[in-house]
Every structure is written in structure tokens, then in C-alpha cells.
Amino acid sequence: MASSAPSWPGVRPVKTCTECKQSKLRCDSKDMFPNPCSRCQARNLTCTVDPSFRRTPARKRLEAMSRELRELRDQRIANSRAGSTTSPDPDSTRSQDSSCNASQPLDAILLEDFELLALESFELGGVVIDKQSILEIFKLFAKFFHPRLPILGPISLKAIYHSHPFLFWTIIVIVSSRSPLLSDENIFAQLHEPYMRMLRVEILRAPIPLSKIQALLFLCTWPLPVSHQHDDPSWLYCGIAVNAALYMSLHRSSPKAGTTPSLYSVGVMSGSAHERTNTWLGCFYVSTSLSMHLGLPPMINTPSDLASIRSILGEHNLPREFSLQIRVLLIMAGFTNILVHNSNDGVIDSSVTQLLDGELDTLRVTYPDGWTNMTDYMVMVVKMHVYTLVITRSRSVASSRDILLKLGLAAALRIIHLADARFRERPDKNQSMTTAQREKTLPKDYFRGLAFATIFLLRYFGLNNSASNAEEQQLAANHVIMAHTIFKTLATRPRDEYDRVSSLFETLCKQAPIPPDTGKPNVSGRMGVSILLDAINTARQIRGYPVEMPEPEVPTTRESLPGPSGVSQADVFAAPSPSLVEPWQSDLAFANMFWGDPSWDVYNLPADTSQFHTGHGL
């Protein structure tokens, strides 16, 4: 329930953050939580409260900075004397999670022939876009978006425009909604309505070809903004894409099959084996990740399908990061099936969780070259969801639950740390995008994982004082600030998706301390995501909004109800009407008509059925 107590009561005994303590200035971090203190917010500093922090005198700080500068200068001189011609650029040697995967070339979409088109502008529903804007959009897509879901190509942009218009306009709408061009920031606003009309027509037009499946997968990974999360149709679009892929038998594709013939009976162009395999792997990646974040069973989860995907990964050439992330989701899908279908046995849950940790940790040892921070981020998110699934259905007195809480704390802190480190990376010098625009090119599931980790910290280590010690509460509070800062910075207008998430954190932090969690979440049947749905309901209660949606009432009038019939019940169940045929008589009539057809004469079947034995059967 709502409370007038100050935010995060009893959790932040230290009133001054490290930056203000170092400068000997008054700090309002406790009053501003989960926002940074006023001084750190104005100077874009990391606001962290650390009871063990001790001030460093200004003279010692100056001496340390001078010593560091001398070491850097000496190292640079030594490198130049050694004849090194390539000095490291601090902007080019960013973390191994650069926006473009090194093993994925940028020529998945060939742009050169597009400039040879005689058209100078392109139209959708009366909205005209010039050629230069189209080229800029597809360059952004090839650099920032496609490496996250590499299911295309190589294919030319000219071929996409002529042969796959739905895929063409889907890419334009996705990129313009996430990173609007400086030349025309209104492209998405202008294209939204005509594109939605096109979308409604295309997804209902059977059969769905390969390019439409690819477009739907991109649309599920980077969905268009919605006013409420329950309005997001990604799960529906994903179901259409997966079922269309099954209809095309993409799950039976072999990377070594070469060109697969197109069957007229199926009615869709099959595409090359490489495209079919990549698209099927994309179906698994998108649907499994989405099901995890929505708390729903994976769409592709049979043992045969999972084994087939493992086999494909062994013989198909994929970008290393994408291949590893699929392997992570394969492990998650297998263990989730076991956890969901067992009878809530604490011993089984503990054993399965330990096996999951071992399998995920083995991946890093087996594939060290392709391991990136984004892969590590996904591993932590998968662990968080499995830990929370077991926690929410275990008893509070169970010792295994306490262990899982500590493991969940470590995973949540790691998730927010990785997100904060990426958020604070400096953009490339030759990159015109801001930090916010660069981060918005990430898939929506990335931010779902970040929000889920923050809610976990708030539920089990922030507002539940008796369930954790002061040090854990303070650590959780510092990381909640980090996550809140990311969402707050990415918000570009009031009540957009990022602003709503940051407002959710702020509302939850206004609660008074809650008692230890002794029961299951109020929202059941959604695996670990139940704590996130509970948090949304709690925030609505604090704001004074209803939690349950009212059922629509169907107006009934006396005129709409059928009047009493004048036929008695005995007459209704009397002899059948002459116009009705008994079902067995109808079957016999059909059989006689079917076998009596003259076309069967070519098989020399005798018309006389008396030769068949009329006994009692087996």
C-alpha cells in the first residue's frame, strides 16, 4: 500500500554519496532516490553511496593523476620507438561489444546498386521519402540492427525494394522509430499509419513468404512503441512467423542442401538453404527470448526441434556472438521445460538449477573467443529468470531459496553493471549518433532484462529490510540508481516506454518497508515474470488506479431474447424430420457414391461387394 514515508526508508543510512563526500558538499541523495543527487545529476556523475568510502586529499589525488599521465606518456614514447605504426585509439578500442559484430560483415545488404535506380523518391500511402534518407536508414540498419539478428542476405537493397516491399518498409519504420535521422525526424510519424495499414493486410494474406517472416522477426525484436505494454502485439506476430516457418518446413532445412526447390503445393518461394536456416534460427531466437521475458512457454521446445537446432549450429556458419546466444537459449528452453513440468519439488528444483548454472558456465570455457559482454548479459538474464521461477514457488523457510536469493542478487548486480558500463562508453568519433540513439538500437528484450533485474532488487533487497543486511540493501540501492538513470536518459518524451519504466521505479521506491515475502506472487502462471507483473499492479495501487480490468457488459433486452416456442418437448424428440439424414445413413450414402464412381474402373475393382467376408471382424 502507499505510504508517506520517505523513499527507501531505512535502507540508506549514509546520507552523502561518494562524490559529494569527496568535495565536502551537502548531498540530497536520500531525498532524490532513485534519482541521483542534484549535484551528480547536474554534472553527469555516478551517484554511489558507500559507507566504507574515505576522502582522498586533493594533493594525493593530484599526485596520482600526474603519475598516471607520466606513465601514459612514457608508454606512448616507448611504442613509437619500437616502430609501432598503429597506436591504440581509445574510441576504437571500446569494449568487445561494439555495435557491429566483428565476425558479421556489413555487406549483408548491398547498397551500391540501389543508387542506380532511376527513382529519386519512394512512396508509401502518400508519404514520400527521398533516396538519400533511404540509404542512410539502411546503412544504420546494416551497422547497428542486423548484427543483433543476422538472418538476411547477402541481398541487394534493390532486390528488397522490388521483390520484398513489406520487408523494405518494415526496416525503414523500425530504424526511423529507434534512431530518427537528423535530416527528417518526422519520418516515423508520417509512415506509422500507412505502414500499419500495410501490416494488417500483409500478415493476413496467405501464404506468408520468407521475406515476410523475416520482417515479422525484426518487428518482434524492435517492436513499435505502444502506449501500454499489454498493447504490444509482438507475441502474436511471433506466433504468425513461427507457424509460417513451420508451414514452409524451415525446421527441416539443411545448411548443406544448397538451393531448395519451391513446391507449388506450398505456394511460397522457399529461398536458399542458407536463408531458410538463418530464418529458422531467428524464429527460435526471437520466440524463445520473447517467451522468457513474457513468462510463457517457448513456442519451439520439443526435444527433436532443440536437437535439430543444435545440429544446425554445428554445421552452419553463423556470427559467433549470435551462435552463442542461441546456445544459451537452447539451454534455457530445455531446463525450463523440466522446471515447469515437475511437481514443485524443492530437491528437483535445486538440482536442475545447479545443472543450469554448470551448463551456462561451461559455454564460456568452451567458446572463449566468441564470448562478449552481450553474451554474458544474456546468460545473467537467463539465470535471473530461472532463479526467480524457483524462488516464487518455493517456501520462504527453505534454505535453497536463500541461496537462490544470493545468486539472484549477484546476477542482477552483474546485469545492471554491464548495462551501466555500456551506457557510459563514449561514441565513436566518426559516429553522428548520440549515446541515447545508440542504446535505442538495442533489442527491446535487452531493456526487459534490465527492468527485470531492477525489480528483483527492489522486491527482495530494497523494500524487504528483514530479508537482507544493510550492505546488500545499499548495494542494491546503488544499482537501482544506475538502472533508473539509463531509462531516464533514454526517455525523449513524457510517458514513452522508457519514461514509464523509470516512473515505475520511482513509484515503487515510495513504499514503506514490506514484510518478508512468505507467499507466491499475486499474478500466477507467468513463471519468474510474475514479480514484474506484481510490481506493475503495486504501482497502480499506489497511484490510485484499478488493478483488474472490468469485463465488458453485453446489453440484453427483452426484444433480443427468443420468445417461448409453441412446440412441446415431446414433439421435438419425436420421429426425426424427413429432411434430416441419420449420420450413419449419410456415411453409407457417401461411401456408395465414392466407390461407385466410374473412375475406379481403371483399377479393375469389381463393383460387386458380395465377395467380402461379412463376419464379425477381429
Side-chain angles (χ1 to χ4, degrees), residues 330-390:
L330 276 171
I331 294 174
M332 190 276 300
F335 281 96
T336 300
N337 289 337
I338 298 174
L339 288 172
V340 170
H341 292 97
N342 73 47
S343 58
N344 194 11
D345 189 332
V347 177
I348 296 178
D349 289 348
S350 300
S351 302
V352 171
T353 305
Q354 292 178 10
L355 290 174
L356 172 79
D357 282 341
E359 290 284 339
L360 293 175
D361 294 339
T362 303
L363 280 181
R364 184 165 192 165
V365 179
T366 308
Y367 306 97
D369 296 337
W371 200 268
T372 63
N373 285 341
M374 289 298 292
T375 306
D376 195 16
Y377 185 93
M378 174 174 281
V379 168
M380 293 297 111
V381 172
V382 168
K383 288 185 176 183
M384 276 287 308
H385 278 274
V386 175
Y387 295 157
T388 310
L389 168 62
V390 179

Side-chain angles (χ1 to χ4, degrees), residues 1-48:
M1 297 298 293
S3 174
S4 59
S7 61
W8 205 278
V11 181
R12 297 173 66 84
V14 181
K15 298 181 179 179
T16 307
C17 70
T18 55
E19 294 290 343
C20 294
K21 183 181 289 187
Q22 176 64 38
S23 303
K24 293 185 177 180
L25 295 175
R26 186 180 182 86
C27 182
D28 57 356
S29 61
K30 185 175 181 180
D31 298 331
M32 295 293 293
F33 186 81
N35 292 288
C37 70
S38 302
R39 182 173 177 274
C40 291
Q41 195 168 7
R43 292 165 174 78
N44 197 23
L45 301 174
T46 302
C47 187
T48 303

Side-chain angles (χ1 to χ4, degrees), residues 21-24 53-67:
K21 183 181 289 187
Q22 176 64 38
S23 303
K24 293 185 177 180
F53 176 77
R54 296 293 181 268
R55 286 186 67 255
T56 303
R59 179 177 298 177
K60 290 185 178 181
R61 295 185 67 190
L62 182 60
E63 292 176 355
M65 292 175 62
S66 301
R67 183 168 56 255

Side-chain angles (χ1 to χ4, degrees), residues 120-368:
E120 292 298 328
S121 61
F122 303 85
E123 180 182 352
L124 177 65
V127 179
V128 179
I129 304 178
D130 62 277
K131 180 187 290 187
Q132 188 59 35
S133 297
I134 298 291
L135 283 172
E136 291 181 16
I137 285 176
F138 274 89
K139 286 178 181 178
L140 290 174
F141 177 79
K143 183 176 183 180
F144 294 100
F145 292 81
H146 189 256
R148 303 295 177 196
L149 189 62
I151 59 176
L152 292 182
I155 187 173
S156 68
L157 180 53
K158 183 179 179 181
I160 295 178
Y161 172 72
H162 282 301
S163 304
H164 314 296
F166 180 63
L167 176 62
F168 178 81
W169 289 108
T170 298
I171 292 175
I172 292 175
V173 169
I174 287 175
V175 176
S176 61
S177 67
R178 295 274 173 164
S179 55
L181 299 173
L182 297 177
S183 57
D184 189 358
E185 296 184 356
N186 298 321
I187 289 181
F188 173 71
Q190 296 173 359
L191 285 178
H192 185 260
E193 284 302 323
Y195 174 76
M196 292 304 298
R197 291 195 297 268
M198 181 184 191
L199 173 64
R200 296 185 189 101
V201 173
E202 294 294 335
I203 63 175
L204 296 178
R205 180 181 296 169
I208 296 181
L210 191 67
S211 62
K212 286 186 183 179
I213 298 175
Q214 295 167 339
L216 289 175
L217 293 179
F218 288 130
L219 199 59
C220 295
T221 308
W222 293 277
L224 304 183
V226 291
S227 57
H228 300 91
Q229 286 307 303
H230 55 70
D231 296 331
D232 189 343
S234 297
W235 185 250
L236 304 180
Y237 295 160
C238 190
I240 295 175
V242 171
N243 282 284
L246 292 172
Y247 181 76
M248 289 183 64
S249 297
L250 296 189
H251 59 303
R252 305 300 181 195
S253 301
S254 173
K256 300 179 180 179
T259 302
T260 305
S262 177
L263 301 178
Y264 183 80
S265 59
V266 176
V268 287
M269 296 296 293
S270 58
S272 67
H274 178 80
E275 290 178 298
R276 291 166 61 89
T277 302
N278 280 5
T279 304
W280 176 244
L281 292 177
C283 287
F284 172 77
Y285 176 87
V286 174
S287 63
T288 307
S289 178
L290 192 59
S291 67
M292 175 181 66
H293 289 286
L294 297 181
L296 299 170
M299 295 183 183
I300 305 171
N301 62 353
T302 63
S304 60
D305 285 336
L306 299 183
S308 174
I309 292 174
R310 290 192 185 93
S311 176
I312 292 174
L313 292 176
E315 60 186 25
H316 188 54
N317 187 20
L318 280 175
R320 286 171 297 179
E321 182 181 87
F322 185 60
S323 176
L324 272 176
Q325 292 178 358
I326 292 177
R327 293 182 185 275
V328 171
L329 293 177
L330 276 171
I331 294 174
M332 190 276 300
F335 281 96
T336 300
N337 289 337
I338 298 174
L339 288 172
V340 170
H341 292 97
N342 73 47
S343 58
N344 194 11
D345 189 332
V347 177
I348 296 178
D349 289 348
S350 300
S351 302
V352 171
T353 305
Q354 292 178 10
L355 290 174
L356 172 79
D357 282 341
E359 290 284 339
L360 293 175
D361 294 339
T362 303
L363 280 181
R364 184 165 192 165
V365 179
T366 308
Y367 306 97

